[in-house]
Amino acid sequence: MIAKEKNSSKTAHPFEAPDYYLLDDLLSEEYILIRNSTRDWMNTHISPFINDWAQNNECPTHLVQEMGAQGFFGPSLPESYGCPGLDEISYGLIMQEIERVDSGIRSMASVQGSLVMYPIYKYGSEEQKQKYLPKLASGEMMGCFGLTEPDHGSNPGGMLSNFRDMGDHYLLNGSKTWISNSPFADIAVVWAKNENGRIQGLILERGMEGFSTPKIDNKWSLRASHTGELVFDNVKVPKENLLPNVIGLKGPLGCLDKARYGISWGAIGAAMDCYYTALRYAKERIQFDKPIAGYQLQQKKLAEMVTEITKMQLLSYRLGQLMNEGKATTQQISMAKRNNVAGALEIARESRQILGGMGITGDYSMMRHMMNLESVITYEGTHDIHLLITGMDITGISAFR
Ligand SMILES: Cc1cc2nc3c(=O)[nH]c(=O)nc-3n(C[C@H](O)[C@H](O)[C@H](O)COP(=O)(O)OP(=O)(O)OC[C@H]3O[C@@H](n4cnc5c(N)ncnc54)[C@H](O)[C@@H]3O)c2cc1C
């Protein structure tokens, strides 16, 4: 009986993942093991508490070392730096299972792995990799990624943050906003312009004089993830903290590719959870003497949801293969991020309606997924900008600059 179970928010409900096109047949035993162990960990450590954390705007920072031990941070980075050394499909499946429970927790993990560890791995010196990557992988250290500024969101190339060479150090000024993990991060990978107006990455450590990380409160979305600003007021940054191996916007955009790919899988997780919860509810909820799942209008919603999820799964799976082969393009990644997040948001909205009044409560996950996905559809490139990236790719003409 739903009413009886109507979950004490402390009870994780069982979950059967939709697999309409037998995608599991394409997954190796190792993939399934990774997916299932992530699912089990999330069911035990996050699901029972996530409603309360989100309601209270608490981020489970006490769990970051356990998340590190699970291999959630930088899953596809090499073992030589203390990382799991998995492939891109494994990484995607991990993101799917984390976001099945909550987009905020997935945001914390993907910022750490794709936007902090990846740029250090890809663009950092050997000393920087040795110093930071093992600690970031284990969760002993947490990081954030500073690209967006108050007046430069979709157009990060216009950023005002800048640094000057002072001989034995750099002097950094400016600010960033909407930065996931900033209020508690130990380090920040910050993108700023050098004296020639070229964008470069710097690693900042908490405690540097003039560096502060005010929290952004009053969010209705990603409430179990902390978001904040980064403020640089004449921060002296040691020269060895400059990422030496990239210059220009391609630095931050390269990391965003990696993160957006993970988001395409994460969105599938949120969509699966909404669909499964609605299906289960619709089969048990009786109105006019029969289950509401027996009415055509509800079947239409459910049938469209499972169709969308199937398309999303196939898109991300194929993209994962291309990522593994080093063939995925930024534009292909844009398409998957945009399609899957929009699909998940629509599924969250429709599934919430299937639950009627119960759908707005914290006893079920849809309202939280729906609010979370409003951020996911905006960050890492908005829904509009990703469409324009596809448009530019197929026509050869940019419509956004
Ligand atoms: C919860 C949360 C967490 C975030 N975490 C991070 C983080 O960790 N690090 C980080 O650097 N950033 C982060 N962001 C910032 C995020 O990436 C930006 O919000 C996003 O890039 C959009 O920028 P903006 O909010 O300034 O919107 P704007 O760029 O001002 O866009 C406003 C609207 O205008 C549209 N628009 C803009 N330009 C065009 C155009 N040329 N043509 C058509 N339409 C256009 C957009 O699609 C959008 O609908 C986060 C944001 C949120 C909400």
Side-chain angles (χ1 to χ4, degrees), residues 154-156 249 253 256-257 260 329-338 379-401:
S154 297
N155 177 23
L249 202 53
L253 295 186
L256 290 171
D257 271 357
R260 289 165 179 169
T329 65
T330 296
Q331 294 79 5
Q332 288 167 335
I333 294 169
S334 269
M335 182 183 281
K337 189 269 183 183
R338 178 178 186 274
Y379 71 23
E380 308 254 3
T382 67
H383 189 64
D384 296 331
I385 295 293
H386 285 301
L387 179 88
L388 297 176
I389 288 172
T390 306
M392 180 171 70
D393 196 36
I394 57 178
T395 63
I397 306 166
S398 169
F400 59 94
R401 63 174 72 246

Side-chain angles (χ1 to χ4, degrees), residues 56-74:
N56 299 327
N57 193 197
E58 286 170 23
C59 175
T61 49
H62 61 287
L63 289 177
V64 293
Q65 298 209 11
E66 282 192 54
M67 291 172 74
Q70 291 300 310
F72 293 175
F73 300 146

Side-chain angles (χ1 to χ4, degrees), residues 226-266:
H226 286 330
T227 314
E229 300 171 46
L230 302 174
V231 180
F232 322 116
D233 180 10
N234 284 320
V235 184
K236 285 184 182 175
V237 184
K239 287 210 144 167
E240 64 267 23
N241 285 29
L242 183 80
L243 295 177
N245 298 325
V246 77
I247 192 153
L249 202 53
K250 67 173 187 273
L253 295 186
C255 321
L256 290 171
D257 271 357
K258 185 98 171 153
R260 289 165 179 169
Y261 163 70
I263 292 173
S264 82
W265 282 93

